[in-house]
Amino acid sequence: MLTTQPSREPAERSALRTVVRGILDRHLPGPEALETDRRGTFSRVTWEALGQAGLLGIGADEALGGSGGTVGDAVAVTEEVARRLPSLAVDHVLTGMAMRMLTSPDCGATSSLLPRVATGEAIASYGLSEPGAGTDLLALRTRAELRDGQWHLHGQKTWISLAHEAEVVFVLARTDPATDGRRARGLSLIAVPTDQPGVQVTRVHLAGMRAAGTCEVFLDDAVAPAENLVGERGKGLRILSQALDVERVMAAAISLGIGRAALDLALSYAHEREAFGAPIGALQAVQHPLADSMAEFHAARALVDLSVRRIEEGEDAIAHAGMAKLVASETTARIVDRSMRAMGAMGLAEESAMQMYFRDARLQLFSPISNEMIRNLVAEDAGLPRSY
Ligand SMILES: Cc1cc2nc3c(=O)[nH]c(=O)nc-3n(C[C@H](O)[C@H](O)[C@H](O)COP(=O)(O)OP(=O)(O)OC[C@H]3O[C@@H](n4cnc5c(N)ncnc54)[C@H](O)[C@@H]3O)c2cc1C
């Protein structure tokens, strides 16, 4: 029978998915996940259970305190988490990015945090976006100055996931002027401890991804030891750009998880719900949109799998990862819309996960990078002039 399950997956990967589902069933069963979303809270218990099972340290070397594993493993874990609670999958992806900074050979003093982040005991978040700098990240205004062996930071970061739970935020700040008009130069990544008067964190409440712990971070003479600089001064973007393909493919995995969960829910509803003396799933008007969704879902998964293979085989994957993120998120937006229609009023009911998938699928269209910007980059990769 045709299902949304991945096909031809290695046995160890399927076993990994089973482990994730077991943890979620124990600590965050479906109704609990919906309640967590409704309250907008971060499920620390589930997080730590994922960490203790080695699922937060995937991709980081065991010798450094991570759990090893491949990008494909991390993608499978993210997809499974997103099926239950997409907000938590956002945190999984962003922690993965923080983990990449911690495993960077130039991470310096902060790397000692890695084993605790990998087990979920400590949280590190990742602060790039600002009120005036989203897609146009290089417009950021946060400044850092080195004085008497300490960085002093002033500025504001916004939409930062889990900053209210984090011990450090990796902040991208301008440390040096842009030279030759190149704004990417002179930006540095600094691990800023949150437990100090110069750092104020406030929660932001959103209509989607409500349990991801989205925050604003105010830096008013926040300090960090000089050695908390990650990588070379003025070259912070270089470290980030090394991880962009992985971040985009992980974002695509969130979309796959949401799309899969929404389609599965609609299919089972179409079996159960009756109208005019028969299940609504017997009506072509209900069947065809779900069939389109099934076909498009598998096409999106194939592109994600291709990108994962390219990354794992060390090929240039940035364009493919971008296309995977674009296709998976646009596909999922359509799947969720069609699935919700198939459920009528029940799709809007708070007791149904469909309304959560519908809201959460929105984030995937613009984060961590907007689909419009991906289209710009893909067009440029295809030989057209840069349009922005
Ligand atoms: C739940 C959530 C969690 C997040 N977590 C984090 C986090 O942990 N850390 C972090 O740093 N950030 C985080 N973000 C921020 C996220 O990365 C940004 O929302 C994203 O980069 C887009 O920026 P923006 O929202 O400011 O949109 P804008 O940049 O204001 O874009 C608005 C619109 O203009 C379009 N646009 C802009 N420029 C162009 C162009 N040149 N060509 C075509 N179209 C263009 C965009 O595509 C978009 O449609 C999070 C956001 C949310 C909602």
Side-chain angles (χ1 to χ4, degrees):
M1 191 177 89
L2 185 59
T3 71
T4 55
Q5 280 175 22
S7 51
R8 301 188 180 191
E9 202 168 50
E12 316 80 70
R13 185 75 49 75
S14 309
L16 187 62
R17 289 181 188 268
T18 308
V19 171
V20 181
R21 284 198 296 273
I23 291 171
L24 294 174
D25 287 345
R26 222 170 15 263
H27 297 283
L28 200 63
E32 183 66 29
L34 280 181
E35 185 53 23
T36 302
D37 177 67
R38 202 185 60 74
R39 287 197 312 261
T41 46
F42 170 61
S43 178
R44 186 115 204 181
V45 173
T46 313
W47 192 253
E48 287 180 2
L50 291 169
Q52 275 147 23
L55 300 169
L56 301 179
I58 295 178
D61 265 0
E62 287 171 89
L64 298 171
S67 1
T70 63
V71 174
D73 294 334
V75 159
V77 172
T78 298
E79 179 188 329
E80 292 303 324
V81 174
R83 289 172 72 197
R84 183 62 53 86
L85 183 61
S87 302
L88 201 63
V90 169
D91 293 334
H92 189 249
V93 171
L94 290 158
T95 296
M97 284 302 281
M99 192 71 81
R100 296 202 147 246
M101 289 162 214
L102 287 166
T103 52
S104 151
D106 308 312
C107 186
T110 325
S111 62
S112 60
L113 206 58
L114 196 147
R116 291 176 55 240
V117 172
T119 55
E121 191 192 329
I123 287 173
S125 61
Y126 157 71
L128 309 184
S129 308
E130 296 190 2
T135 307
D136 186 11
L137 180 62
L138 302 185
L140 65 78
R141 296 165 67 96
T142 296
R143 300 273 182 281
E145 194 189 331
L146 190 59
R147 265 188 278 129
D148 307 324
Q150 283 197 317
W151 292 103
H152 292 255
L153 293 101
H154 292 268
Q156 183 182 343
K157 294 287 170 182
T158 192
W159 316 122
I160 308 308
S161 305
L162 284 190
H164 63 319
E165 299 274 349
E167 279 187 31
V168 296
V169 180
F170 287 97
V171 170
L172 188 66
R174 182 158 296 285
T175 48
D176 300 279
T179 47
D180 306 329
R182 299 186 62 176
R183 295 184 300 163
R185 293 188 182 163
L187 298 177
S188 303
L189 258 180
I190 299 168
V192 179
T194 53
D195 187 15
Q196 56 167 310
V199 177
Q200 295 299 326
V201 178
T202 54
R203 272 297 307 274
V204 178
H205 297 284
L206 303 171
M209 297 295 189
R210 295 192 295 205
T214 313
C215 295
E216 282 196 280
V217 179
F218 298 89
L219 304 162
D220 183 11
D221 200 25
V223 290
E227 58 272 21
N228 280 22
L229 175 72
V230 182
E232 262 182 78
R233 177 173 176 157
K235 296 192 175 155
L237 273 187
R238 190 175 287 177
I239 290 180
L240 288 174
S241 59
Q242 284 160 4
L244 288 182
D245 48 0
V246 177
E247 186 182 36
R248 288 172 194 174
V249 99
M250 296 290 286
I254 300 179
S255 295
L256 288 186
I258 298 174
R260 184 175 167 195
L263 180 52
D264 286 346
L265 193 53
L267 285 168
S268 81
Y269 192 80
H271 277 293
E272 288 157 18
R273 175 74 176 165
E274 295 205 350
F276 301 93
I280 56 166
L283 301 165
Q284 279 192 343
V286 174
Q287 283 186 5
H288 285 187
L290 298 184
D292 282 341
S293 295
M294 184 64 86
E296 291 171 25
F297 176 78
H298 281 283
R301 186 190 287 292
L303 189 49
V304 173
D305 288 348
L306 173 64
S307 314
V308 167
R309 270 204 307 282
R310 288 184 73 100
I311 296 173
E312 289 181 350
E313 287 167 13
E315 287 179 54
D316 177 16
I318 191 76
H320 284 79
M323 291 192 293
K325 189 266 169 190
L326 169 71
V327 170
S329 60
E330 297 285 354
T331 299
T332 286
R334 285 193 299 277
I335 292 177
V336 173
D337 186 39
R338 294 173 186 138
S339 300
M340 199 166 188
R341 279 184 185 216
M343 289 182 66
M346 192 46 83
L348 270 183
E350 285 221 339
E351 72 208 66
S352 163
M354 188 60 77
Q355 45 80 24
M356 172 176 71
Y357 301 138
F358 185 77
R359 288 181 284 102
D360 290 352
R362 300 300 305 175
L363 174 82
Q364 300 312 111
L365 299 171
F366 62 81
S367 186
I369 176 174
S370 78
N371 285 355
E372 291 73 24
M373 185 48 99
I374 289 196
R375 291 184 181 99
N376 293 342
L377 299 173
V378 169
E380 202 179 333
D381 250 357
L384 296 174
R386 177 176 276 215
S387 63
Y388 59 96

